[in-house]
Amino acid sequence: MCKKEISVRGSEADAETRCRHYHSERDRIAIKFYCCGEYYSCHSCHEELADHEAEVWPAGKFDENAVLCGACRNELTVHDYLSCHSICPSCSAQFNPGCSLHKHLYFEVH
């Protein structure tokens, strides 16, 4: 499968979007930040590299692509990502289930 060419910004980011902050085998997603439309490996990378404050995805925009699988480069909507049970629906790569602890940093959740 040919990987899409989508740029991901990150501190020491590898080919599957892992960065120096999150680099386990299953840390293979990037988030498109709502504020700038740029993919970053994680919230800490955005904080270090962007020249602005992060904004979370509003609940009314959860049908837009906002998450990138680092394994196959498939883009997921926020809804798809939040309901995928930490497995890419396109290639079945496992995502880190611990990322759900940080979803409030990326998405408007209650």
Side-chain angles (χ1 to χ4, degrees), residues 3-4 6 8 15-17 28-31 39 66-76 81 87-95:
K3 292 184 178 186
K4 292 181 189 176
I6 296 175
V8 175
E16 288 197 348
T17 75
R28 64 167 52 97
I29 65 159
I31 306 292
Y39 275 105
V67 178
L68 178 71
C69 173
C72 71
R73 303 308 246 206
N74 182 53
E75 293 183 276
L76 290 79
Y81 174 69
I87 298 173
C88 178
S90 179
C91 71
S92 300
Q94 292 186 351
F95 302 148

Side-chain angles (χ1 to χ4, degrees), residues 64-103:
E64 296 184 26
N65 288 338
V67 178
L68 178 71
C69 173
C72 71
R73 303 308 246 206
N74 182 53
E75 293 183 276
L76 290 79
T77 67
V78 178
H79 281 303
D80 291 341
Y81 174 69
L82 293 176
S83 64
C84 77
H85 304 288
S86 300
I87 298 173
C88 178
S90 179
C91 71
S92 300
Q94 292 186 351
F95 302 148
N96 188 337
C99 290
S100 66
L101 299 173
H102 306 126
K103 64 185 173 191

Side-chain angles (χ1 to χ4, degrees), residues 26-50:
R26 295 186 292 179
D27 287 318
R28 64 167 52 97
I29 65 159
I31 306 292
K32 183 191 294 182
F33 277 74
Y34 183 73
C35 45
C36 57
E38 299 279 338
Y39 275 105
Y40 285 85
S41 294
C42 73
H43 61 92
S44 295
C45 287
H46 184 276
E47 187 175 306
E48 289 176 8
L49 301 171

